[in-house]
Amino acid sequence: MARSGMPRRWAFVCLNERDASHPRGSCAGRGAAGVFEALREETGRQGLTDVKVVAAGCLEACMVGPVVYVAPDDVWYGGVTLEDVEGLVREHLDGGTPVEPLRIGREEFELSPLAGRDQLPLGVIPPVQP
Ligand code: FES
């Protein structure tokens, strides 16, 4: 499909980077740069010229990064890994169906050791890399 006019969807990928010692960590520390590049490559590979993958600053769900926000569907994803990219592009960015296991919501936004709430969901969020 030729690219023209307003994109059908945007995927905003947090690329914020903090020092590894920061209590909230950061999406960059959890591999967001690789996820961003993979999303760009995969949308191109699937021919989605009407989907934009955009670099973003902190989206405030730092504890469960890498965080991706998809508009205009108003869907948030956390803990996105390289293995998730192909399905996320095919199922949601193209197909319009959110990938439920990756979705995050208000609870994840409220996680923060700075606020005394740091119970991460088990087994789904990549650790911060030093
Ligand atoms: S560092 Fe990515 S959401 Fe804050």
Side-chain angles (χ1 to χ4, degrees), residues 23-75:
R24 298 183 78 189
S26 67
C27 290
R30 293 186 173 94
V35 169
F36 175 72
E37 284 306 320
L39 281 167
R40 289 177 66 108
E41 285 174 16
E42 188 62 25
T43 51
R45 199 184 66 73
Q46 294 188 28
L48 306 184
T49 55
D50 54 354
V51 170
K52 288 283 289 180
V53 178
V54 183
C58 179
L59 297 169
E60 296 298 337
C62 319
M63 296 284 286
V64 292
V67 173
V68 176
Y69 177 67
V70 178
D73 306 327
D74 195 21
V75 171

Side-chain angles (χ1 to χ4, degrees), residues 73-103:
D73 306 327
D74 195 21
V75 171
W76 292 91
Y77 293 116
V80 179
T81 67
L82 294 175
E83 290 70 37
D84 299 321
V85 165
E86 190 275 335
L88 197 155
V89 170
R90 178 174 33 80
E91 292 176 32
H92 189 177
L93 298 184
D94 187 26
T97 302
V99 180
E100 293 299 330
L102 293 176
R103 288 184 80 165

